[in-house]
Amino acid sequence: MPVWDLEVVSSMFCPLKLILMPVLLDYSLGLNDLNALYPKLTVHVGDSALMGCIVQNTQGKSVTKVDWTHSPEQHGKDEYVLYYYSNLTVPCGRFKNRSRLVGDVSQNDGSLLLQDVQEADQGNYTCEIRLENESRVFKKAVVLHVLPEDPKEIVVHEGESALMGCHFQSTEEKRVTKVYWMFSSGQQAKEETVLLYNLNNPVRYPQSQGRFQNRVTLVDIAHNDGAIMLQRVKESDKGRYTCSIYLGSLMFRNSLTLHVIQESQTASRSEILGGTHVVIIVGIVCATLLLLTGLIVIVKKRHRNKSSESSTAIVESLEHTRKASLEKHVYSAIAALEMIEEPNAKSEAIYMIMHPAQPSLRSDPNNVSEKKTVLDIPKTDQAF
């Protein structure tokens, strides 16, 4: 078969391949596998994302319709982002004020710019382009990953380095053409130029300006990253920094505030912390002393109680001992008296009557009655 016949055949089957390939891929691969084939874009909350959709080899036919839809990663309902028809672009729903068609439709470019990216924007974006007098639909998909927002305020110590981000991500092979960094120390202060980068300038390397000279460098300009590193930070560097990054005619702007902690502030903080530590230590010592004092008082009280109990026991035992000795003495005296026998007397019963002593009588020495016998023992002549 001649070569020209093969070319004709391949050209005849080319549209059929464009239609069947996505269908065959859908059946042969799962959705996750398809996502692996799509270009991925990773941005931060608040950044801008450029998602390209360019059709090649249209054979001179112009674009009549462009549709952009969003499919959440979780099970959710698909939603329109925007559509283009009859030279009119219409953003839709929650994307109304954040999306616009930035490609040149006359050049078969239906690229989408999504600004102020939100966390809910994560998912798959599908572009569909229709050409005039064509039933075919050209599709292209982009997987968008959204990271947490970059900090809008940065705090560094004097003398350290500060990294300030500025990203403009794109799925297309568009390189950063310009990066401008400006600085303002206050609301009414005049802006100062921190760094300038212009790809079209004969001197293409970044140029730091003024007092920032030799202290500012671009981090990774090759990957559409306009972040800068400010070295040897000074106290006068605190203020507001604004970045403007360009992809061709498209521009993304980002601002942040830099706070600088001076060494004197650090020292004062350490002094405050040291004073706080001293107060804490003194409080602990005082509390310990109070606890020890309370324990000593409790121990002393218990010791006193035990001593008083032992003393009471000793006194009671002594009283019992005295009482027992007195009773023994009295009863022994009584027994001695019972053993006395009078002459010429028969065995008889002896009765003892004890009279209490009269102190008043004893105290008087002239009282004769004092000489009387205290014990009166009546006797009876009755024999047993």
Side-chain angles (χ1 to χ4, degrees):
M1 183 180 290
V3 177
W4 63 271
D5 290 337
L6 291 175
E7 292 178 356
V8 171
V9 172
S10 62
S11 63
M12 291 175 60
F13 281 96
C14 184
L16 183 61
K17 287 191 294 183
L18 290 175
I19 297 173
L20 292 178
M21 282 299 292
V23 177
L24 293 174
L25 285 173
D26 285 340
Y27 281 103
S28 60
L29 299 174
L31 182 59
N32 293 331
D33 296 325
L34 278 174
N35 288 344
L37 299 176
Y38 298 156
K40 295 181 180 179
L41 201 60
T42 301
V43 298
H44 293 265
V45 171
D47 288 351
S48 293
L50 178 60
M51 292 177 273
C53 183
I54 302 174
V55 179
Q56 305 291 343
N57 300 324
T58 60
Q59 299 178 355
K61 296 180 179 180
S62 61
V63 175
T64 58
K65 195 171 189 303
V66 178
D67 292 331
W68 275 95
T69 56
H70 170 246
S71 301
E73 288 185 345
Q74 303 281 339
H75 296 290
K77 186 178 180 181
D78 293 354
E79 52 187 335
Y80 267 99
V81 179
L82 63 75
Y83 64 87
Y84 167 86
Y85 184 72
S86 298
N87 297 323
L88 181 65
T89 302
V90 181
C92 304
R94 60 187 183 88
F95 301 98
K96 186 174 183 179
N97 298 320
R98 300 189 294 120
S99 63
R100 63 191 179 100
L101 209 61
V102 295
D104 188 353
V105 178
S106 63
Q107 298 296 322
N108 308 318
D109 187 351
S111 297
L112 170 72
L113 176 64
L114 181 61
Q115 298 173 308
D116 190 18
V117 173
Q118 304 299 317
E119 186 176 355
D121 297 340
Q122 182 164 289
N124 300 333
Y125 289 79
T126 304
C127 166
E128 296 183 356
I129 293 182
R130 290 177 173 84
L131 302 176
E132 61 178 350
N133 301 323
E134 286 280 353
S135 59
R136 294 176 298 169
V137 178
F138 296 89
K139 288 187 178 182
K140 186 172 183 180
V142 177
V143 180
L144 182 66
H145 293 288
V146 181
L147 301 178
E149 184 179 11
D150 275 337
K152 295 300 181 184
E153 294 189 357
I154 301 176
V155 180
V156 297
H157 290 81
E158 191 174 10
E160 295 181 348
S161 298
L163 177 62
M164 292 177 275
C166 183
H167 314 284
F168 195 168
Q169 301 299 333
S170 170
T171 59
E172 298 302 311
E173 295 297 328
K174 291 188 177 181
R175 297 188 60 186
V176 171
T177 54
K178 297 178 185 178
V179 177
Y180 296 155
W181 276 94
M182 306 298 290
F183 166 74
S184 175
S185 59
Q187 293 181 353
Q188 298 180 352
K190 185 179 178 180
E191 280 194 330
E192 303 177 48
T193 302
V194 179
L195 179 137
L196 295 176
Y197 172 79
N198 191 344
L199 184 64
N200 299 322
N201 194 310
V203 182
R204 292 186 178 181
Y205 57 84
Q207 296 177 323
S208 54
Q209 304 290 319
R211 60 189 181 89
F212 298 98
Q213 194 167 9
N214 300 324
R215 294 197 297 133
V216 179
T217 55
L218 276 172
V219 177
D220 191 5
I221 194 65
H223 293 87
N224 296 341
D225 193 341
I228 60 171
M229 179 72 75
L230 176 60
Q231 300 173 337
R232 302 185 301 277
V233 173
K234 303 176 182 179
E235 193 275 335
S236 59
D237 293 338
K238 65 181 180 181
R240 187 175 183 84
Y241 290 78
T242 302
C243 162
S244 300
I245 182 171
Y246 290 80
L247 293 180
S249 60
L250 302 177
M251 187 265 291
F252 168 68
R253 181 169 293 170
N254 184 40
S255 297
L256 53 87
T257 303
L258 177 66
H259 300 279
V260 181
I261 300 176
Q262 300 180 27
E263 293 298 331
S264 58
Q265 294 177 352
T266 306
S268 63
R269 285 187 180 182
S270 60
E271 290 176 0
I272 292 172
L273 289 174
T276 306
H277 290 161
V278 170
V279 171
I280 293 172
I281 292 171
V282 171
I284 292 173
V285 171
C286 293
T288 305
L289 291 176
L290 289 174
L291 288 174
L292 288 175
T293 305
L295 289 173
I296 291 170
V297 171
I298 292 171
V299 170
K300 284 186 176 181
K301 284 184 178 181
R302 289 184 178 179
H303 183 70
R304 287 176 183 174
N305 292 335
K306 289 182 178 180
S307 299
S308 62
E309 288 177 358
S310 60
S311 300
T312 304
I314 293 171
V315 170
E316 289 179 355
S317 62
L318 289 174
E319 288 180 354
H320 286 302
T321 305
R322 284 182 184 176
K323 186 174 180 181
S325 62
L326 288 174
E327 289 179 354
K328 183 177 180 182
H329 178 71
V330 171
Y331 285 109
S332 62
I334 294 172
L337 288 174
E338 287 179 351
M339 295 299 296
I340 298 175
E341 293 182 2
E342 291 185 359
N344 301 324
K346 296 179 180 181
S347 299
E348 57 185 5
I350 299 173
Y351 298 93
M352 179 180 66
I353 299 174
M354 298 179 66
H355 298 282
Q358 301 291 333
S360 59
L361 295 177
R362 289 181 181 179
S363 62
D364 190 0
N366 297 321
N367 197 346
V368 181
S369 61
E370 185 181 0
K371 299 180 180 179
K372 290 183 180 181
T373 304
V374 178
L375 297 175
D376 241 342
I377 304 174
K379 300 179 181 179
T380 59
D381 295 336
Q382 188 177 358
F384 288 100

